[in-house]
Amino acid sequence: DGGITQSPKYLFRKEGQNVTLSCEQNLNHDAMYWYRQDPGQGLRLIYYSQIVNDFQKGDIAEGYSVSREKKESFPLTVTSAQKNPTAFYLCASSPRTANTGELFFGEGSRLTVL
Amino acid sequence: QQQVKQSPQSLIVQKGGIPIINCAYENTAFDYFPWYQQFPGKGPALLIAIRPDVSEKKEGRFTISFNKSAKQFSLHIMDSQPGDSATYFCAAATDSWGKLQFGAGTQVVVTP
């Protein structure tokens, strides 16, 4: 089935450790995104990529890093510089069409910092 | 600062009732307004969307009303069912495709 796969579903990390969240899509979409979801704050854009080997910061990029070496993959690293990393992280993709507004989301990764 | 303000934060209705969720925006460059539905532990999924040249759009039991002059839009769930219990997000986009600005979300509970 086509879709977006995020892993791991749950992740625990100690303070000061970096952690990488995986996102893979087989929808042949050009664009991929990482959002952070916190209660009462909706979804906030961390990073996005419209094409391989290129990505841009979103609204809350500080403390995060990404790479886009393959069209299918867009991993997110939560670094130790992220002050409040405990959250639900959502990866999404969209076809490269103008302003469709439709994002296809994965099922998310819940990160807890102990 | 959120560019799309959504209210209420939560609401509870009985089966058959009509939950109404409201959103407001300031940026007149927004020209695409989707609504996403999210069930617990899942990612959001597109429910219905509208553009500003249309004042109302219906898809099944879901209706979007759009008021361009007031810069407001709302989602109505007609004849709501317990299976509609979810969190609903409004969003807005400009010509930067895919860069959606989301509202804070509304948790809707439909009781049997």
Side-chain angles (χ1 to χ4, degrees):
Chain A
D1 285 353
I4 298 179
T5 302
Q6 289 188 240
S7 63
K9 196 171 178 69
Y10 298 96
L11 186 61
F12 297 88
R13 170 195 116 175
K14 293 181 180 179
E15 280 192 27
Q17 290 180 336
N18 292 355
V19 63
T20 297
L21 307 180
S22 170
C23 178
E24 303 279 332
Q25 56 103 354
N26 60 4
L27 299 169
N28 199 32
H29 286 169
D30 287 298
M32 297 187 73
Y33 312 81
W34 275 104
Y35 283 88
R36 170 179 171 143
Q37 184 174 8
D38 296 282
Q41 295 195 55
L43 281 69
R44 293 181 291 166
L45 183 62
I46 304 172
Y47 268 98
Y48 66 103
S49 168
Q50 297 176 342
I51 197 168
V52 174
N53 292 322
D54 188 47
F55 49 82
Q56 287 78 41
K57 293 181 179 180
D59 299 319
I60 56 164
E62 185 175 352
Y64 300 98
S65 66
V66 293
S67 63
R68 187 87 186 274
E69 297 177 359
K70 298 187 299 182
K71 186 175 184 178
E72 310 81 47
S73 178
F74 191 41
L76 173 74
T77 296
V78 185
T79 76
S80 56
Q82 168 50 232
K83 291 181 171 39
N84 185 19
T86 294
F88 189 52
Y89 291 89
L90 286 160
C91 179
S93 70
S94 70
R96 193 184 174 98
T97 53
N99 202 20
T100 66
E102 182 165 13
L103 298 179
F104 295 80
F105 284 89
E107 295 202 337
S109 293
R110 187 168 295 281
L111 172 64
T112 302
V113 174
L114 303 173
Chain B
Q1 184 180 357
Q2 279 191 311
Q3 296 192 38
V4 180
K5 297 190 189 311
Q6 182 172 349
S7 64
Q9 188 172 359
S10 64
L11 62 91
I12 301 174
V13 298
Q14 288 189 329
K15 177 182 174 181
I18 306 176
I20 301 172
I21 305 169
N22 300 300
C23 289
Y25 65 97
E26 289 297 326
N27 187 351
T28 55
F30 288 145
D31 68 354
Y32 191 77
F33 302 88
W35 286 86
Y36 281 78
Q37 179 188 54
Q38 183 181 31
F39 294 105
K42 302 294 185 182
L46 180 66
L47 185 64
I48 186 174
I50 197 168
R51 292 192 184 273
D53 54 347
V54 176
S55 61
E56 185 176 275
K57 182 174 181 179
K58 294 181 182 180
E59 284 190 10
R61 295 182 291 104
F62 298 92
T63 299
I64 300 178
S65 298
F66 190 86
N67 186 330
K68 187 174 181 179
S69 61
K71 291 184 283 187
Q72 295 175 348
F73 57 111
S74 60
L75 177 71
H76 295 61
I77 306 175
M78 313 304 285
D79 186 27
S80 59
Q81 303 295 312
D84 296 329
S85 297
T87 299
Y88 293 82
F89 294 95
C90 61
T94 66
D95 288 337
S96 301
W97 45 271
K99 275 192 69 179
L100 291 171
Q101 294 291 335
F102 284 88
T106 298
Q107 185 176 14
V108 173
V109 175
V110 181
T111 61

